[in-house]
Amino acid sequence: MVAKSFVCCLVAVCFAVTGCETIKPEQVADNLNVVTPEGAGPFPVVIMYEGTGGMTSREPRWAGWLKGMGIASAIVGNAGIRGRAKNPNGSMYHEDGAIAWDILKADARIDTSRFALIGFSRGGGMALKAGGHFGGKRAVPDFVFAFYPGGFGRAECSSNHADSTEVHIFFGDKDDVGLVDGLLDACYSTARWNDSVFYHELKDTTHGYDYERGSAFTCCNPVTKVRVERNEDAVAYTKSVIEKAIRARWQGR
């Protein structure tokens, strides 16, 4: 649904870039930062996937905001799990969030029947494509919030989550990654044909609009300089969408 707006066990995985590797639950646990509100809970939880640059100050800021609403956060260090500072091109560690869910299920402070996935940039791509790891013995996420997702490949932006999962994609109309890779159009099309997917195009907004300060980096094919500029209006709009969605579904559960 398009909404254009301005404002456990061992998991063996193989990747074209990194080869085959086995991720152990203890590796995830050692790289999982859980932030909870005051009190005993149990609290609903948002599991976060980091971007290509690895852990930044962005994730703790969003966790602090969620904490103020009585929601826990579990920040997954995808790069740290693999002994890296960053996530290399081509890496998509969808299963990390599912292993984190398994760990959180044993925490009395956390209500894993009420959870969402958030991902930033490459992490947004991971969150959108993590649906195959949920269901069965694991709950299905109520929400996926994908911030300026990338990493799928050129002009590909799709979700493999169940229809019961409400998916929100946030993209700036001046996002250089989205423009050069055709992701803005691809995400728009995904939402157009899927009633559980909502696309939010943010006016005058670049990649990484929720970063604390501006910067730039290069990526993509052809090589492109990507602007990163904080946009307070876009951040406020994003927060309003997330808050409205989770309060509507989680209140009273």
Side-chain angles (χ1 to χ4, degrees):
M1 185 176 296
V2 177
K4 284 201 171 186
S5 311
F6 167 70
V7 206
C8 175
C9 58
L10 303 183
V11 179
V13 290
C14 298
F15 299 100
V17 172
T18 59
C20 294
E21 55 186 319
T22 299
I23 300 302
K24 301 178 181 179
E26 53 264 33
Q27 290 174 277
V28 177
D30 288 344
N31 292 275
L32 187 65
N33 180 19
V34 180
V35 179
T36 59
E38 300 299 325
F43 306 104
V45 64
V46 173
I47 299 171
M48 297 186 185
Y49 291 86
E50 64 191 16
T52 301
M55 194 64 64
T56 70
S57 61
R58 166 186 54 193
E59 291 84 4
R61 283 200 310 275
W62 280 105
W65 176 71
L66 290 163
K67 179 179 177 179
M69 291 194 294
I71 298 167
S73 297
I75 306 170
V76 182
N78 307 106
I81 289 169
R82 294 158 180 85
R84 307 186 185 103
K86 298 181 178 181
N87 294 300
N89 289 340
S91 59
M92 295 297 279
Y93 307 128
H94 317 108
E95 78 285 357
D96 289 1
I99 300 172
W101 187 92
D102 294 339
I103 295 167
L104 294 167
K105 196 173 189 304
D107 189 333
R109 301 169 300 169
I110 304 298
D111 177 5
T112 50
S113 71
R114 296 182 293 165
F115 81 102
L117 305 177
I118 282 183
F120 306 95
S121 195
R122 181 175 301 283
M126 295 186 210
L128 286 173
K129 291 290 194 177
H133 294 282
F134 294 97
K137 293 183 179 180
R138 296 183 179 122
V140 171
D142 289 314
F143 304 101
V144 172
F145 301 107
F147 289 58
Y148 36 91
F152 302 93
R154 192 171 181 85
E156 182 184 352
C157 180
S158 60
S159 165
N160 66 353
H161 288 274
D163 290 342
S164 61
T165 299
E166 188 176 309
V167 177
H168 292 267
I169 302 171
F170 302 95
F171 240 129
D173 64 349
K174 292 185 177 180
D175 188 316
D176 299 304
V177 175
L179 293 169
V180 72
D181 278 348
L183 291 171
L184 273 73
D185 289 341
C187 291
Y188 176 88
S189 295
T190 294
R192 182 181 179 186
W193 300 108
N194 190 326
D195 288 341
S196 62
V197 178
F198 299 82
Y199 175 69
H200 306 271
E201 188 169 294
L202 308 169
K203 185 180 178 183
D204 296 326
T205 301
T206 68
H207 197 80
Y209 64 86
D210 56 330
Y211 271 73
E212 192 171 7
R213 59 181 62 87
S215 62
F217 64 93
T218 57
C219 83
C220 311
N221 184 18
V223 175
T224 301
K225 181 178 179 180
V226 178
R227 298 161 292 172
V228 175
E229 300 169 358
R230 184 168 179 83
N231 186 314
E232 295 291 352
D233 289 327
V235 171
Y237 173 78
T238 302
K239 287 180 176 179
S240 71
V241 170
I242 295 173
E243 183 172 6
K244 180 180 179 181
I246 63 180
R247 289 203 186 280
R249 185 174 290 197
W250 286 349
Q251 191 168 17
R253 277 180 58 188

